Amino acid sequence: LYLVDLGNTHYDASWVAVSTLARSAYSLGRRAFELHTLPLTPLGSRYPYELNPVQLTRAVTAFVNAFDSLDLANLHWAYWHACAATPHVAPAQFGAAIEALQGAYIKANPGAVPKGSAPPKAWKELRAALVTTVESAGISAEAKAALKENVLKLNRIDQRQRLKLIMTALDLQLGGDEDAAWRRRNDAAHGTPIPEGQELAAIRDVKLLRGVFQRLLLRITNAADQYIDYASLHHEYRILHEAPPDQPALSPLD
């Protein structure tokens, strides 16, 4: 739950107000007051919103211990802005939060996933050959410079492949619907409108991307063994390894 500090009042022993402090706190454009309480993981086993001391202590301790290594001070900012975003831009916001979490994980765990498609030694030789080919081409100096700059980027792993590699390293499944939602996040990032009749699917994409972020965070921090699948009808509890089940394409009448 996003908490907003609006101030405080001090009382004397007779409960007479002696001082009051009001704050104009940042509330995500007042969207914070409309957000629902959606725990990342079950914090009890008997009923929704139960706070079991063991499970709560594990989660809080995990997040505190990872606060610096995962840069949670900035990561939670990205997460809450994504939660407050509207469906046509929220996929881009959650995509940015997931990429930030990936970057923090890779920085804290060097070598956990490869940096490029080709190993460093093989890429060094291949890059030299490609640069030589460009240099020998009968094109302008400006074109050569642009092509050589692109050559330097060829061995980079794209964000979709990086997500798959990190999910595999963390023993997390990436469901087909999650993968599709991740690919479609680019539509939101580039201002592509939601196709008419696909509004429900777009809303589910947001829930799936939020779930990917939550599963990654819970696994990386070891805060829990389960997550709450908000993309499912009954908000099922699932083990972290298990992806939300794929569903048939939604239509406006579903």
Side-chain angles (χ1 to χ4, degrees):
L1 181 65
Y2 186 94
L3 302 178
V4 182
D5 180 9
L6 298 177
N8 57 72
T9 299
H10 290 180
Y11 297 87
D12 64 13
S14 302
W15 286 103
V16 175
V18 295
S19 68
T20 297
L21 173 67
R23 290 191 176 91
S24 298
Y26 182 59
S27 60
L28 302 170
R30 299 197 64 80
R31 282 283 288 119
F33 302 107
E34 302 172 9
L35 296 176
H36 299 291
T37 303
L38 297 175
L40 280 69
T41 180
L43 296 174
S45 57
R46 294 176 297 176
Y47 52 86
Y49 304 116
E50 175 190 0
L51 295 180
N52 177 282
V54 175
Q55 289 166 273
L56 177 62
T57 299
R58 175 183 174 183
V60 172
T61 301
F63 293 143
V64 170
N65 289 341
F67 192 84
D68 292 325
S69 62
L70 292 183
D71 192 20
L72 294 186
N74 288 308
L75 194 61
H76 90 282
W77 238 179
Y79 173 78
W80 282 116
H81 278 87
C83 291
T86 52
H88 72 289
V89 296
Q93 300 275 21
F94 275 114
I98 291 169
E99 289 182 22
L101 179 56
Q102 290 176 342
Y105 170 73
I106 292 172
K107 183 177 180 180
N109 298 272
V113 296
K115 294 182 179 181
S117 300
K121 183 178 180 180
W123 168 240
K124 185 177 181 179
E125 296 175 356
L126 178 58
R127 182 183 62 192
L130 290 172
V131 169
T132 299
T133 301
V134 171
E135 284 287 4
S136 63
I139 56 179
S140 68
E142 291 79 7
K144 289 181 180 180
L147 287 173
K148 285 190 289 185
E149 185 175 345
N150 288 333
V151 164
L152 298 178
K153 304 174 183 177
L154 286 178
N155 198 39
R156 294 180 183 176
I157 296 176
D158 64 33
Q159 288 296 336
R160 183 187 178 201
Q161 184 62 21
R162 176 170 294 177
L163 176 62
K164 289 184 175 182
L165 289 171
I166 290 178
M167 297 283 277
T168 299
L170 294 171
D171 190 28
L172 297 174
Q173 293 178 346
L174 181 65
D177 285 357
E178 288 180 321
D179 187 28
W182 179 251
R183 285 184 279 117
R184 285 195 293 263
R185 88 197 190 285
N186 283 326
D187 292 340
H190 294 290
T192 304
I194 299 171
E196 186 175 354
Q198 296 299 313
E199 293 82 3
L200 295 179
I203 292 173
R204 187 164 186 267
D205 280 351
V206 175
K207 295 180 179 181
L208 288 166
L209 291 172
R210 180 173 182 161
V212 169
F213 177 92
Q214 293 177 345
R215 289 171 65 207
L216 284 169
L217 182 63
L218 292 171
R219 175 71 92 202
I220 292 170
T221 60
N222 193 32
D225 299 317
Q226 289 182 302
Y227 72 102
I228 303 175
D229 176 13
Y230 291 110
S232 66
L233 182 61
H234 300 292
H235 295 178
E236 303 288 347
Y237 293 176
R238 305 190 191 281
I239 60 173
L240 285 181
H241 170 76
E242 180 184 351
D246 297 340
Q247 295 184 359
L250 295 173
S251 71
L253 299 179
D254 287 338

